[in-house]
Structure formats: structure tokens, C-alpha cells
Amino acid sequence: DGGAAGEDGAVDAGADGTRAGRDRPPEPPPVDGRLVYPDGSPAGGVLLHLAIGRAVEVRVFRNGEYTDQTVHLVTAHQVTTTDAEGSFRFAGAAGPARERRFVYTANDPQAFAVEELRQVVSARRRATVTGRLVDREGKPLPDYWFEGRFGDPEDWQTRIRREEDLFVAATGDLRVDTLARNDTRTRADGTFSLRLAEGRNTLVFGEVRAEGSVDVEVRAPATELGEIRVPGAKLADEGRTLAGRVLTLAGLPHAGCEVLAWDGSVGLPTHATETDEAGAFAFEGLRSHEVILWAVPTERRHIDLPIQTTATLRMPSPAPITLQAPSEEEYAWARVEIPGFYLFVRPGVFASGDALDRTDVVGLPPGPLRIHLVTDRILEATVDLREPGDIVLHDSLFRDTTRD
């Protein structure tokens, strides 16, 4: 009858109380495939990941604009290494309803791949790229940070309207780099070296001294680009001042709130300060024609609001800037009961998330929130936070939508 009889003739039960082997769903078959380079040669010895999950379409707020983003809620994740022929095998695993399956590399030194799972998956070789950066006058750019991204400048400009896809599992962001990015700083003489995927790439420049992008063709195993003149607008001859203030959600002065500024830059902020008792702040020595501001109200883990940032400001700014950021007293400080990745979505406004454990507390701003919780399942809840204070995101709030 499919069960295993003991010495007394009884049939063993499975862990879920069913008769062993009878009502238990069959194990999914293993997944086999092959990873190859564009010329058809095998991509052997590549560390390859499999992510199985459901895609959720959200919108995020970046630099004053709302952009679309796809977040993959991953309930199963595996890793394997391709053999000399590029072949791979993953163990059988079930996914949620409306599942999508992706294979990808994560900082593999020799190959780059991000594709939906199929029998033959394409990879790109990684190559060492060298060159020398100079400014508009032909002078070397020493100690200059920039990055390379797979794709051409038109692809990169399109990405401004759409954020890079995000893959998250119970333990956090899976760090899937869909753009094969790699950043570096130039040496004292402006020379550089970085690793990029073969094919068309975009070098993206965004620091104060020069900005813009340049497309380059990368060939494996190594490509020498020679001298690259970095595009960029001429900076102001003298530093400018930008003043503003930060208010709480109640409209009161927000004292002691950190304010960050990006003076025509990407990556880390170029300036930081704190508001005074009147909620006022000021930055001096700004030289770029574009500045972005961000108010950071607390060092505790929290969810941001779009009103905490400016759109990209054109400089010089004719009037003081006003930002709003919740005070610590205006957040609902939520403790979680179920460990996993929590994605917080305010419909049509923003999305943010983090891997949280039972000991973690996160600040949630007032208003409606839809919460997607990823463990080995997908759970969902809708809450409307009307009052600040301490709350608990307990398991009874969530509905299991894994098979919906």
C-alpha cells in the first residue's frame, strides 16, 4: 500500500501525519541545462544561482521621479557550478503560483549571466578593461570614481525610467546585478582598470568634476580603451550656498535632523549637516549645476517617505528649500513576529524593504501600507497606521498567498 511496515505490521506515517508515500506530493524533478558563451563555447566552472519566486510590480521614488520596478519574491534559492561542458543541474524545487525562474551569476570572476531559466542559458565572458580618463581640457582625472555597466548609453537612459529588478529572499537581497556593474577609482595619472562583461558597455561618470556617459566595446579577455575624455558641464567658478529647513509631518521645526547633499554626484553624498533648533540648514561651497537633498530623521531602521528628498535642484537655487521628515515620535515602531524579508508598499508611492528577525524593530510612517513577507512562502497583509507608537506585526495579520 506504499507504506513501510514495522515489525508489528503497522504502517509508518510521514512527518505531516499522512501515510508515508501515499498522499505526499511527488518531488519535483531536477532541473538540467547548459551555460554557453555567445560563440557557443561552454561556460565551464561558473558558479550559477537559481532563484524561484513571484514578481511584484511596484513604484519607487528616486531623485524626484517615480519609476517602475519589479521585485522578485524568492521562496527557493540554490547554487551550483557548471561542469567543463557548461552543464548544470539544480535539485527539484516547487515555487509559488505564477512563479518565475531565473539563473544568474553573482560576481563570478569569469562570466556574467542573468536570464530566465531555459535549457540553454547565455553568458558573457568578463574582461579586464584599462584606460586613462582626462577632463574636457585633456588633463588627467586622478582619484576619480566611476562605473561601467553592461549595455549602451540608450539602455542606461531607459533605466532612469525603470529601476533595476530586485531579487529578495528571506535572508535579504540576493544581490542580483542585472547590469554587470563594476566601479573603480583612477590612479594619480588618471589610469584605471576594471572588470566588465564582453560586448557593448556604458562608462557612467557622475562626480562633481565631470559627468555623463560614454559607450565602449569590450572584448575578452582584455580591452585597452586608451584615453577617454569625460564629458561634463563646466563648474561654477565660486562655491554657491544652498539654504533650507526640515519640518516634521506635523509642520513643526525638525531639529537635529541630518541632511545629505549630492553636489552633481552619484554614489556617496558630497556634503552632510544637521538642522538647528529652528529646523534650518545650509550648505556652502556647492559648485555643480545640479544638487539633490535628502533628510534622514533617525539612525534607527526606518522606511523613508518621498517628501524627505528634493527633485534634482538646478543651481543657483532662488529660494530656500523645505523638506519634511517624520520625527521619531511620528513613526509607528513595529516589532516583527515572523523572520523573513518584509517589503513595505504604499500603493502608487514607494516601496522599501529589509530582512527582519524577531528581535528587529522598524519605523513605519503613518498611512496605509501593503506588506509582502517572504519566507519559504509568500505572506501578505494590509495595515493602515493612524497612530504612532509601538506595534507588533503578528502572524494573524498575514494571509498565505503562496498558491494564490
Side-chain angles (χ1 to χ4, degrees), residues 20-159:
R22 170 168 291 185
D23 300 320
R24 186 179 303 157
E27 290 291 332
V31 178
D32 294 303
R34 191 162 179 261
L35 188 69
V36 300
Y37 292 120
D39 60 5
S41 61
V46 175
L47 194 66
L48 199 61
H49 296 246
L50 170 67
I52 307 174
R54 177 187 300 160
V56 174
E57 303 299 326
V58 296
R59 300 178 73 206
V60 292
F61 190 80
R62 292 288 185 272
N63 297 349
E65 295 182 357
Y66 295 98
T67 62
D68 296 324
Q69 183 181 46
T70 300
V71 182
H72 301 271
L73 310 178
V74 176
T75 58
H77 174 240
Q78 299 181 36
V79 183
T80 190
T81 301
T82 60
D83 65 16
E85 298 303 317
S87 298
F88 60 83
R89 166 169 283 197
F90 292 105
R98 306 187 305 282
E99 72 171 33
R100 296 180 69 182
R101 296 181 173 227
F102 279 83
V103 290
Y104 66 93
T105 55
N107 298 319
D108 186 87
Q110 62 179 335
F112 160 72
V114 180
E115 285 196 29
E116 290 211 52
L117 177 64
R118 53 178 62 90
Q119 189 170 5
V120 178
V121 179
S122 179
R124 297 271 178 172
R125 292 180 176 88
R126 291 190 182 270
T128 299
V129 179
T130 54
R132 183 171 180 261
L133 298 188
V134 299
D135 63 16
R136 297 197 317 165
E137 284 73 38
K139 298 178 181 178
L141 286 171
D143 194 32
Y144 181 87
W145 178 91
F146 72 103
E147 71 176 25
R149 304 177 181 182
F150 183 64
D152 58 32
E154 289 75 20
D155 295 336
W156 180 70
Q157 292 296 330
T158 301
R159 278 295 192 183

Side-chain angles (χ1 to χ4, degrees), residues 3 29 98 102 106 116 127 134 207 218 231 242 247 249 251 259 294 307 351 354 363 367 372 387:
R98 306 187 305 282
F102 279 83
E116 290 211 52
V134 299
E207 286 196 343
V218 173
L242 176 62
L247 303 178
L249 297 185
V259 184
W294 188 274
I307 55 176
D354 207 348
H372 301 268
E387 299 293 336

Side-chain angles (χ1 to χ4, degrees), residues 268-293:
L268 297 175
T270 55
H271 297 71
T273 190
E274 284 192 0
T275 56
D276 62 18
E277 291 300 317
F281 67 89
F283 291 108
E284 297 180 351
L286 303 177
R287 299 188 60 204
S288 175
H289 300 283
E290 295 182 343
V291 174
I292 297 169
L293 300 179

